Amino acid sequence: MCSGARRCAYCEDSVGDEVEHIRPKDFFPENCFVWDNYLYACGNCNSPKNNKFALFCDDTGDFYEVNLNVGIEPPKGHDAMINPRNENPMNYCILDLSGTFKFVVIPNLTPNDKRKAEYTFETVLNLNEPPREFLRQAREEAYEDFKARLEKYKNEKNGNNSQTKLKKMIEGIKRKQHPTVWKEMQRHYWKEWLKAIDEELHRLFEECPEALNW
């Protein structure tokens, strides 16, 4: 229900200390106690998200924002917001590691998936722009920290340190906030994008290929 060491599943930065209803209970009371509708989130994400939610209507396929239609029962439809409980947001976006550290919608998505990604990242969660610029900065700092941790791991491994110590370092990487940054670093390597933007990090993965599976 959360990422890292109990990080918010939306921003991955702050502590997940509130239970978020992905489908807002005010509009979908039948989902109020559905386990898969719960998510750990921070107040900075949960409060602005509040009742924001959208559907693609089953009958027409139209995009429908339920929070703009107070007092009207929502139509039947499938979610037009990414649900991190059962979807991988990385299937919809790429985190730009070349400098901006913003989430960029993947080209050539279907029109509905593109609308879903834009609605989630920009309209609801606002993960790229002010007033949440600090999140972009935090992702950039996480990139440098992950890289430094991998460098330290490489040095410790080459120094024949104990497996217990190495395992502790690996667990530290897995628990760190902004795990999407780490996963994007791995994806950039596998897609052969990494060497062009960070040859040093590419070399670290070459020397520690086991890190590509963490």
Side-chain angles (χ1 to χ4, degrees), residues 121-137:
F121 287 97
E122 298 170 12
T123 303
V124 179
L125 300 178
N126 197 19
L127 295 178
N128 285 333
E129 305 292 346
R132 308 195 81 190
E133 162 66 9
F134 66 92
L135 291 176
R136 189 206 62 78
Q137 293 174 339

Side-chain angles (χ1 to χ4, degrees), residues 24-183:
K25 57 183 180 293
D26 287 350
F27 293 100
F28 303 95
E30 69 276 13
N31 293 115
C32 185
F33 300 110
V34 175
W35 176 255
D36 288 341
N37 196 46
Y38 293 160
L39 191 76
Y40 267 131
C42 67
N44 285 335
C45 285
N46 196 16
S47 293
K49 191 266 182 184
N50 194 18
N51 281 334
K52 291 179 182 176
F53 196 76
L55 300 168
F56 293 113
C57 300
D58 285 344
D59 55 352
T60 64
D62 291 343
F63 180 85
Y64 181 94
E65 291 188 74
V66 300
N67 53 293
L68 301 182
N69 295 277
V70 177
I72 302 174
E73 183 177 354
K76 300 295 182 182
H78 55 284
D79 297 1
M81 179 177 170
I82 299 169
N83 181 347
R85 285 295 301 274
N86 54 39
E87 295 181 282
N88 185 352
M90 293 178 70
N91 292 333
Y92 295 86
C93 70
I94 296 170
L95 178 60
D96 175 23
L97 301 182
S98 66
T100 70
F101 290 88
K102 293 183 178 182
F103 290 106
V104 180
V105 176
I106 292 175
N108 303 320
L109 291 178
T110 66
N112 276 5
D113 282 349
K114 182 177 184 291
R115 185 73 183 269
K116 187 175 184 176
E118 291 172 345
Y119 181 72
T120 302
F121 287 97
E122 298 170 12
T123 303
V124 179
L125 300 178
N126 197 19
L127 295 178
N128 285 333
E129 305 292 346
R132 308 195 81 190
E133 162 66 9
F134 66 92
L135 291 176
R136 189 206 62 78
Q137 293 174 339
R139 293 192 290 266
E140 185 172 5
E141 291 166 3
Y143 177 86
E144 295 299 332
D145 187 58
F146 279 127
K147 184 176 173 180
R149 286 171 181 252
L150 185 56
E151 176 78 40
K152 185 176 180 181
Y153 169 85
K154 182 204 73 172
N155 293 337
E156 296 289 346
K157 184 180 75 166
N158 292 343
N160 295 318
N161 278 283
S162 70
Q163 288 299 310
T164 299
K165 184 172 184 179
L166 294 177
K167 184 177 180 180
K168 186 175 181 180
M169 296 175 72
I170 294 169
E171 290 303 314
I173 289 176
K174 291 180 177 180
R175 288 195 305 269
K176 183 172 167 52
Q177 60 264 52
H178 296 286
T180 296
V181 174
W182 175 254
K183 291 299 180 184

